[in-house]
Amino acid sequence: MGSPRPSGTPAGAAGAAPIPTPATPAAGPSTGRSIELVLLAFAALVTTSALILVEANQEQELTTTLLYLGLAYLGLFTVAHLVVRRLAPYADPLILPCAAVLNGLGLVMIHRVDLARADRAAQLGSPEPVLFAGRQVAWTAIALMLFIGTLWFVKDHRTLARYGYTMGFAGLILIMLPGILPSSISEVNGAKIWLRLSIFSIQPGEFAKVLLMIFFSALLIAKRDLFTTAGRRILGMEFPRARDLAPLLVAWGVSVGVLTLENDLGTSLLYFGVMLVLLYTATERVSWLIIGLVFFLAGAVAAYHLFSHVQARVQIWLDPLADYNHAGFQLSQALFGLGTGGVGGTGLGAGRPELVPFAWSDFIIASIGEELGLIGLAAILVVYLVLVTRGLRSALAVRDSFGKLLATGLSFSLALQVFVVIGGVTKLIPLTGLTIPFMSAGGSSLVANYVIVALLLRISNAARSPASKRPPVPQTPLAEARTEMVER
């Protein structure tokens, strides 16, 4: 965040004249509206074409479900586009279309697995299974409603800094809630991360991650002098003083606490990773990364020896075929599916992704890899890369330090989730239980990730809008904090 400075020099050092970060020249709102509309139309075309291919291969005909899913998708994102261009006219026109095409392809694959599961149940004479495509459309509608609400109520992202500590407290409550509740209403498949209500279930931790990123960003700006104070110099690097390690220790403690109470390895990794990246972004000190890596390794070793489910996941990662019929079945089937897909894939509707447990949620990447192959999977990764890159570009262009940190944290959280999920499915790292953003079936992750998109759009709108269109700066020292250049 900001320009390089000598180690130990605070970002707000006395005598340094504040120099706003140069804004990226942006096109006018009409140009952005046209670009976003064209890209959303392309996303709708891709989604509709994929749905037609799935139904043609699976049903040998086109059903009314195709019409329902296609029109629902088109209507929802038409409304989202109109709202974005009304409430954030200068926002980056690539962010929403990237989320839309990922959401659409996820819906296609969920529908495809639904058809296969229904057909298999009919062949076996079993009751018709629960179908998830309709639910995913409903959750998309709810997610876009909250997306619109976020854009409506958060007129200026800097106002969130006022409530940083309140949001941090609320985030901690949401994290701890499933862990302290009875297993009957919070545990699913061994992980206590749910809040199961009478009509639906949610994962409070998905919303807690957004609240905690706002808190971390506000804390690092409010206490920036503390984190940049000179410490001991070792091997040419400035290491922080022992008493300044409190934020990293707190993040580490929260991660271990989540792992202990809830058996949730993925969420623990996400919280600690985002906090570490924000610390590095705020201080530009490699020493924080080294210290964080040490804490991560210590926590990983301790978790392996203390928690049986961590040991089980490591053993599955090392050799899934050793227990193929039980613990290793899911990962083995996913690897078989990816191998069957090869480079070009079997084609939409022509594979057997339903043979992988949870092929519509945790392992939807294996389903996509089987039917679209390495080429299709790489294309999806490129879309994620564009989404994360545009978020980071907004972080570079926005003029206030809080916005820089918040956009960085939000973008990195999406990148980390993608890496962890795909790394687990491809056996690069142990499975963690996270779901891939926008594509996996389920409501909590989808809703939380659309809130992230809304905040990124709000920050990019502030970064790209002309000076005459920017809202007045809230009268708080934190909101007024700017990126500053300190002369070496």
Side-chain angles (χ1 to χ4, degrees), residues 159-176 207-219 222 402 478:
T159 58
L160 296 174
R162 298 176 180 176
Y163 311 102
Y165 291 95
T166 303
M167 291 187 176
F169 180 70
L172 287 176
I173 291 178
L174 289 177
I175 289 175
M176 294 186 298
F207 305 96
K209 71 182 180 185
V210 181
L211 297 176
L212 288 177
M213 278 187 277
I214 295 173
F215 165 68
F216 287 150
S217 301
L219 175 67
F402 174 73
L478 178 58

Side-chain angles (χ1 to χ4, degrees), residues 131-485:
L131 303 181
F132 295 99
R135 293 186 179 186
Q136 190 72 357
V137 170
W139 276 116
T140 301
I142 294 172
L144 288 174
M145 288 173 59
L146 196 54
F147 166 86
I148 293 171
T150 303
L151 286 174
W152 177 266
F153 288 106
V154 183
K155 298 288 194 301
D156 185 349
H157 66 275
R158 294 169 294 185
T159 58
L160 296 174
R162 298 176 180 176
Y163 311 102
Y165 291 95
T166 303
M167 291 187 176
F169 180 70
L172 287 176
I173 291 178
L174 289 177
I175 289 175
M176 294 186 298
L177 189 61
I180 61 179
L181 289 175
S183 298
S184 58
I185 60 174
S186 64
E187 184 173 343
V188 176
N189 296 324
K192 295 187 64 178
I193 58 176
W194 292 88
L195 185 58
R196 295 192 290 175
L197 306 176
S198 56
I199 56 175
F200 65 94
S201 301
I202 61 171
Q203 295 182 32
E206 291 288 345
F207 305 96
K209 71 182 180 185
V210 181
L211 297 176
L212 288 177
M213 278 187 277
I214 295 173
F215 165 68
F216 287 150
S217 301
L219 175 67
L220 289 171
I221 297 302
K223 305 295 183 182
R224 58 182 174 179
D225 289 343
L226 173 67
F227 302 116
T228 54
T229 301
R232 186 180 298 275
R233 193 172 183 84
I234 302 174
L235 298 177
M237 291 183 293
E238 287 282 356
F239 282 83
R241 299 171 300 180
R243 61 178 178 271
D244 298 338
L245 292 174
L248 194 60
L249 287 171
V250 170
W252 185 79
V254 169
S255 301
V256 173
V258 169
L259 185 60
T260 303
L261 290 174
E262 303 177 4
N263 294 338
D264 189 9
L265 180 61
T267 302
S268 303
L269 178 61
L270 181 63
Y271 291 154
F272 187 72
V274 170
M275 177 59 182
L276 186 59
V277 166
L278 288 178
L279 264 174
Y280 172 71
T281 305
T283 63
E284 297 181 2
R285 286 185 174 180
V286 178
S287 56
W288 281 110
L289 296 179
I290 296 174
I291 295 171
L293 183 60
V294 171
F295 275 105
F296 170 75
L297 293 175
V301 172
Y304 179 79
H305 287 92
L306 293 176
F307 305 117
S308 59
H309 68 279
V310 175
Q311 295 178 14
R313 289 189 176 184
V314 172
Q315 293 301 320
I316 294 170
W317 169 56
L318 293 175
D319 188 5
L321 295 176
D323 191 15
Y324 173 77
N325 292 319
H326 297 92
F329 179 77
Q330 187 179 34
L331 182 56
S332 299
Q333 289 294 100
L335 294 174
F336 292 153
L338 291 172
T340 301
V343 175
T346 60
L348 283 170
R352 298 296 302 275
E354 73 277 6
L355 298 179
V356 181
F358 297 100
W360 58 91
S361 57
D362 293 15
F363 275 71
I364 195 170
I365 284 296
S367 305
I368 294 170
E370 179 179 352
E371 299 208 335
L372 297 182
L374 179 61
I375 295 174
L377 197 54
I380 288 173
L381 288 178
V382 168
V383 177
Y384 278 115
L385 179 62
V386 172
L387 176 58
V388 172
T389 302
R390 301 302 287 196
L392 292 175
R393 183 179 180 182
S394 299
L396 287 172
V398 76
R399 296 161 184 82
D400 64 288
S401 297
F402 174 73
K404 287 181 180 294
L405 279 182
L406 182 58
T408 299
L410 295 172
S411 302
F412 179 76
S413 69
L414 294 175
L416 184 59
Q417 287 182 79
V418 172
F419 169 76
V420 167
V421 171
I422 295 184
V425 172
T426 58
K427 200 176 168 291
L428 178 65
I429 60 175
L431 293 169
T432 58
L434 288 177
T435 55
I436 195 155
F438 304 108
M439 301 193 77
S440 298
S444 303
S445 175
L446 191 64
V447 172
N449 286 316
Y450 270 109
V451 172
I452 289 177
V453 169
L455 292 176
L456 287 176
L457 287 173
R458 177 56 66 202
I459 294 171
S460 71
N461 183 70
R464 295 162 59 91
S465 60
S468 60
K469 301 291 185 179
R470 294 173 200 147
V473 178
Q475 295 303 309
T476 61
L478 178 58
E480 293 174 354
R482 290 180 177 270
T483 302
E484 298 174 0
M485 184 178 297

Side-chain angles (χ1 to χ4, degrees), residues 58-74:
Q58 280 288 297
E59 300 290 310
Q60 304 300 317
E61 62 179 356
L62 301 183
T63 66
T64 55
T65 304
L66 171 64
L67 184 64
Y68 160 70
L69 295 178
L71 290 179
Y73 177 87
L74 184 62

